[in-house]
Amino acid sequence: MSTTIIDGKHIAEEVLADAAKDVARLKQERGVTPGLAAVLVGEDPASEVYVRNKTRSCEQAGLFAQTLRMPATTTQGKVLEMVQRLNRDPRFHGILVQLPLPRHISEAVVIAAIAPEKDVDGQTAVSLGRLAAGDPVFVPATPAGIVELLLRSGIDPEGKHVVICGRSTLVAKPLALLLVRKAKGANATVTICHTRTRNLASITRQADILVAAIGQPRAITADMVKDGAVVIDVGINRISDTTAKSGTRLVGDVDFNAVREKASAITPVPGGVGPMTVAMVVSNTVLAARRFAEGGTGQDRPRTTLDIVPPVA
Ligand code: GUN
């Protein structure tokens, strides 16, 4: 079977080019430069890379971006003070607290402190609740990036069975909410699998679109995939590799070389979902700045059922 390798890097460049045009317009028409504050607590090497990629891409698209670094020993109170300061700082339209946080800090408490109108990571109760209600304000970057990847690759989830392996609030749950919406580019049948799912392979083999967001290297093997399925790999795992110069390399949650033989389309790692996550953070920040410039916060619309995304015919 001829398999399409979905080029996330290229599609992310397209999203960033669109964002750059929007930034130029905002600057010219409103005198507003969109700004992103990334809070990085501790020295987790993977988080360092994510935050560097996000701030670099912001700068590439013409945004203002700053990383606020705090040592791993910082108290929860100090992190909350930082978030509250950023909530008030007019230079920043988006705030992103990179996860995971050190164990002594409650992620839930810190996320709850982010002003919903600056929640470009879509992790506050307001963002998640509005998404669940079918009226999203900010969609978390990775699920938004996956939907964008599918649609820009000509893959419409409508009527398809999407099986998501993973139940995180950052990726799996919001992706399920996005894909079941009664809306164009959604309308999928969604199954969520997790560590307690019985006979996982019998479910993953039913997937027209299989999303792996497990966090385990090469956990999805060829026998778990239906012929012709679309496979989206969210995993970023560093494994040791004596043939690599650095002694390590990145692999996804999918056994790429074996699964590509069965899939009709598959995302590689690196170069698949990762660049899309970065691009969608940029895109969400530009959206936040546009709402700010136009005087709306995204929270001030009527909150009735009439406000829910209208169904498509
Ligand atoms: N850690 C891994 N992915 C993400 C993400 O998309 N956002 C945040 N805040 N932390 C992460």
Side-chain angles (χ1 to χ4, degrees), residues 49-256:
V49 174
Y50 292 140
V51 167
R52 195 182 325 126
N53 289 344
K54 287 170 191 170
T55 53
R56 256 196 213 149
S57 291
C58 275
E59 284 159 7
Q60 185 191 327
L63 288 82
F64 168 61
Q66 206 169 65
T67 303
L68 292 309
R69 291 171 181 281
M70 308 183 90
T73 50
T74 308
T75 63
Q76 179 169 299
K78 287 286 174 205
V79 177
L80 286 174
E81 268 174 37
M82 170 67 83
V83 170
Q84 282 149 3
R85 189 165 69 68
L86 295 171
N87 284 342
R88 293 189 300 270
D89 190 329
R91 293 174 303 164
F92 299 116
H93 306 92
I95 300 170
L96 182 150
V97 177
Q98 187 65 29
L99 305 176
L101 291 170
R103 289 174 66 92
H104 65 280
I105 301 174
S106 160
E107 291 182 353
V109 169
V110 171
I111 287 166
I114 298 171
E117 66 272 19
K118 294 193 178 188
D119 177 27
V120 291
D121 228 8
Q123 288 296 291
T124 61
V126 170
S127 294
L128 291 168
R130 291 273 295 259
L131 177 58
D135 180 27
V137 211
F138 291 111
V139 177
T142 302
I146 291 169
V147 171
E148 200 74 38
L149 258 188
L150 291 171
L151 297 180
R152 288 187 190 235
S153 303
I155 300 162
D156 186 348
E158 176 153 333
K160 307 247 169 73
H161 187 188
V162 180
V163 176
I164 303 170
C165 296
R167 53 176 151 187
S168 67
T169 308
L170 210 46
V171 180
K173 283 187 282 183
L175 179 60
L177 289 171
L178 260 185
L179 289 174
V180 296
R181 279 177 314 141
K182 198 168 190 176
K184 237 177 137 84
N187 285 318
T189 303
V190 180
T191 301
I192 287 195
C193 299
H194 46 74
T195 45
R196 300 295 167 97
T197 296
R198 291 201 191 131
N199 205 353
L200 178 64
S202 74
I203 299 170
T204 58
R205 275 197 295 268
Q206 295 172 32
D208 301 311
I209 300 174
L210 179 60
V211 180
I214 306 166
Q216 269 182 36
R218 299 181 184 133
I220 301 294
T221 48
D223 60 302
M224 300 170 79
V225 179
K226 178 168 79 174
D227 275 325
V230 172
V231 180
I232 305 293
D233 192 348
V234 183
I236 302 180
N237 309 290
R238 192 165 286 283
I239 60 162
S240 68
D241 178 358
T242 49
T243 66
K245 232 202 243 163
S246 62
T248 67
R249 77 188 171 99
L250 290 182
V251 296
D253 290 351
V254 174
D255 184 2
F256 183 82

